[in-house]
Amino acid sequence: MTELLYPVPAQAKQNSHLTPELYEEMYQESINDPDTFWQKQSSILNWAHQPTKIKNTSYDKNNVDIRWFEDGELNVSYNCIDRHLKTQAQQTAIIWEGDDPSKDKHISYQELHDQVCQLANGLKKLGVSKGDRVAIYMPMVAEAAYAMLACARIGAVHSIIFAGFSPNAIADRINNCEAKVLITADEGRRGGKTVPLKSNVDQALTGNRCKTIERTIVLRNTGSDINWHSQDVCWQELIQDCTSICEPEIMQAEDPLFILYTSGSTGVPKGVVHTSGGYLVYAAMTHKYVFDYQPNEIYWCAADVGWITGHSYMVYGPLANGATTLLFEGIPNYPDINRVAQIVDKHQVNILYTAPTVIRSLMAHGTKPIQDTERTSLRQLGSVGEPINPEAWHWYYEVMGNKNCTIVDTWWQTETGGIMMTPLPSVTELKPGAASKPFFGIQPALLNQDGEELSDEAEGNLVIKASWPGQARTIYADHSRFIDTYFSAYENVYFTGDGCRRDQDDYYWITGRVDDVLNVSGHRLGTAEIESCLVAHPAIAEAAVVGFPHDIKGQGIYVFVTPIDGQVTNSELTKQINTWVRQEISPIATPDLIQWTQALPKTRSGKIMRRILRKIAANEHEQLGDISTLAEPSSVQTLIAGRLNKA
Ligand code: 6R9
């Protein structure tokens, strides 16, 4: 593993918010005196009532209770919009770049205000009030951000469902959070194709499957023909007679802002709950310091609004800081492989934040992805979602960044709300592939299986020793699952589910998940979720899903399935299974390889030995280790002979 150090470039030091000395001083204060530190930092927001109680958190597994700024009062949309109007009303808040390169839009802070207020009034008209849940299933259009902020304005709790999810996944999420209203569009656009959002919604709601939904707001986006039902209301018509004045609802800091579903190692996806005050302080702070954001810069986070990165670093963090944030509807290689670089030039993007899977898919085309572009506006690059391999890092640094930019490799999770470990542009010397150093207030530690803390150079399970304001407070309607998942493996720490190594310079390197969660192209998928979908298929008796190394996606999905007695397995059935998973969960969960087998390797107590399946899937069957505890060791040879990854 390369540990080459890149010094902090001179340009990164100019006008920056931090110096190495200041970082050290602030970091020490954030750990030794969190109350004083975070009280000062809370002034990054405008509060209706300034908080005086700062940190009140317990990781005791009998009583996990996390509160920040609890007597503070604020409104998130006020902080993201209204407070900028005095000086920046005409500044662009959102640049929208269409899937079709000839389409774009600049939305000023004033326009953002007016649109958000109109929709907020529309929501009120439909009977939505403080605390109600609103599901959002939208394409990457500016209206997705309006919808989030309109909810925040009236104190409704939004729950965005990624537009790539299928009807069943939509219904599960709506039912879990008991959403009252659903906001969607007729269709979305991606890579020259349309995505039938309203039709998916119709299937999700069919037969009174989602009883809590009273109304569906449908944005006319592509204008295509769709079915209109009695509960549907057209967005454009709804807001027609709504004014653009809507007083922001004053919220308690600990009132929930949104629920976002994410995959875990077991069961159905978890509704991670983030609250108003702590989340926004942390999103704004990290956005400011990690990207060293400067006024008037153009900032582009190329994430989907359906993921946490889209929430924290496309919408809430940048808008809280009065930034200009770019929202891209399309995909990185449409219509041409140099689309990302073209957008950088077209909008003079200064900061680009994307995922390693995107970088690897571009890298495969050498210098074509930068053909006919200059990218001289770029100052800062960021990476998120999975470990970035050094080859991809170097391509990003040298080719995309012209060797002029620093790269922040930001490690964090849906549950952490914001960035936890990262280099800082004017502070940290870079090691390609390292998440590097903790952000303010973050105390990482590495534990062995027995829960003992490892010192110095070591590799172990990554935990965080004390709370930070952006931390999720619970899993919606299931606090005990929250405790079980994050606070019961080890005492009095937050367990991340990631493995990690600390090197001789105290740099942290994330090694990947240590639980049954896959990371496919930066998307989190629970193996249990895919398995339960597979066994619901009539031809399948048992299923085991594991990840295997994949050049572009990071991890691919390898499926082992046993057929129901007498079922003939053939390529037609394999194709059917593929389609089944796409339909039941999402195209992102589509298996890469499906191996039929008469038996799965199990212990005598009946547990599937995934360790063995992982080795076979990775084509590393020479190193299977001890298989003596298997009920039928001979089944392994058959599995190896039939393996599908021989690379
Ligand atoms: C923000 C986000 C979280 C999981 C996390 C880890 C992996 C994210 C990473 C990274 C190495 C990075 N991960 N960033 N691994 N280096 N810079 O991705 O949230 O979708 O919840 O995924 O992604 O395994 O635990 P989420």
Side-chain angles (χ1 to χ4, degrees), residues 308 385-387 409-414 498 510 513 519 524:
I308 190 69
E386 53 178 314
D409 176 2
T410 62
W411 171 80
W412 59 295
Q413 310 176 299
T414 306
D498 279 322
I510 306 294
R513 301 289 305 193
N519 192 327
R524 253 169 88 165

Side-chain angles (χ1 to χ4, degrees), residues 303-516:
D304 193 283
V305 72
W307 307 115
I308 190 69
T309 308
H311 285 61
S312 301
Y313 298 112
M314 203 172 69
V315 178
Y316 287 121
L319 294 179
N321 289 333
T324 298
T325 183
L326 193 148
L327 204 153
F328 174 42
E329 184 180 38
I331 55 175
N333 58 356
Y334 176 84
D336 298 304
I337 192 72
N338 62 351
R339 184 73 195 272
V340 171
Q342 280 177 349
I343 295 175
V344 167
D345 277 4
K346 176 178 175 188
H347 297 293
Q348 291 294 291
V349 171
N350 306 110
I351 303 170
L352 170 64
Y353 189 31
T354 187
T357 185
V358 171
I359 299 163
R360 285 193 298 267
S361 69
L362 296 180
M363 181 176 77
H365 299 267
T367 54
K368 278 199 192 126
I370 57 158
Q371 215 162 30
D372 305 323
T373 63
E374 290 181 339
R375 292 153 287 104
T376 43
S377 57
L378 279 180
R379 180 178 70 73
Q380 180 67 47
L381 300 171
S383 170
V384 58
E386 53 178 314
I388 178 166
N389 48 314
E391 298 72 28
W393 194 98
H394 283 287
W395 186 90
Y396 202 29
Y397 184 80
E398 282 156 25
V399 181
M400 185 60 80
N402 290 334
K403 296 187 191 161
N404 272 330
C405 307
T406 45
I407 298 182
V408 287
D409 176 2
T410 62
W411 171 80
W412 59 295
Q413 310 176 299
T414 306
E415 297 86 341
T416 68
I419 294 163
M420 300 286 280
M421 290 208 273
T422 177
L424 291 168
S426 56
V427 173
T428 322
E429 296 186 328
L430 301 174
K431 295 191 186 194
S436 306
K437 300 276 181 170
F439 190 71
F440 301 127
I442 306 305
Q443 292 184 64
L446 305 179
L447 306 186
N448 67 15
Q449 295 303 335
D450 301 324
E452 291 153 353
E453 183 167 348
L454 307 168
S455 53
D456 306 320
E457 274 180 70
E459 185 167 337
N461 289 340
L462 176 62
V463 300
I464 311 292
K465 288 166 108 172
S467 183
W468 63 99
Q471 179 166 33
R473 305 299 194 252
T474 190
I475 289 172
Y476 187 75
D478 202 349
H479 197 59
S480 62
R481 187 165 176 209
F482 184 66
I483 298 173
D484 284 353
T485 313
Y486 308 107
F487 301 96
S488 62
Y490 304 111
E491 298 271 320
N492 282 311
V493 291
Y494 165 77
F495 176 46
T496 64
D498 279 322
C500 183
R501 178 171 74 86
R502 185 172 46 225
D503 71 13
Q504 68 279 12
D505 303 319
D506 279 342
Y507 274 54
Y508 289 85
W509 301 71
I510 306 294
T511 55
R513 301 289 305 193
V514 294
D515 54 12
D516 288 324

Side-chain angles (χ1 to χ4, degrees), residues 222-388:
T222 62
S224 72
D225 258 350
I226 50 165
N227 291 324
W228 290 91
H229 303 290
S230 56
Q231 66 168 22
D232 298 340
V233 34
C234 166
W235 174 312
Q236 283 90 343
E237 285 168 25
L238 174 71
I239 65 163
Q240 221 164 34
D241 54 355
C242 290
T243 73
S244 50
I245 298 166
C246 174
E247 278 305 310
E249 186 81 32
I250 302 300
M251 306 294 287
Q252 301 289 314
E254 282 300 320
D255 282 337
L257 174 65
F258 66 83
I259 302 168
L260 184 60
Y261 287 85
T262 188
S263 298
S265 49
T266 55
V268 291
K270 306 178 282 235
V272 173
V273 177
H274 283 289
T275 56
S276 306
Y279 170 80
L280 198 64
V281 166
Y282 200 72
M285 269 268 288
T286 44
H287 173 260
K288 172 177 165 185
Y289 288 114
V290 174
F291 301 102
D292 205 11
Y293 183 80
Q294 305 291 335
N296 300 316
E297 282 193 316
I298 310 293
Y299 163 89
W300 178 19
C301 166
D304 193 283
V305 72
W307 307 115
I308 190 69
T309 308
H311 285 61
S312 301
Y313 298 112
M314 203 172 69
V315 178
Y316 287 121
L319 294 179
N321 289 333
T324 298
T325 183
L326 193 148
L327 204 153
F328 174 42
E329 184 180 38
I331 55 175
N333 58 356
Y334 176 84
D336 298 304
I337 192 72
N338 62 351
R339 184 73 195 272
V340 171
Q342 280 177 349
I343 295 175
V344 167
D345 277 4
K346 176 178 175 188
H347 297 293
Q348 291 294 291
V349 171
N350 306 110
I351 303 170
L352 170 64
Y353 189 31
T354 187
T357 185
V358 171
I359 299 163
R360 285 193 298 267
S361 69
L362 296 180
M363 181 176 77
H365 299 267
T367 54
K368 278 199 192 126
I370 57 158
Q371 215 162 30
D372 305 323
T373 63
E374 290 181 339
R375 292 153 287 104
T376 43
S377 57
L378 279 180
R379 180 178 70 73
Q380 180 67 47
L381 300 171
S383 170
V384 58
E386 53 178 314
I388 178 166

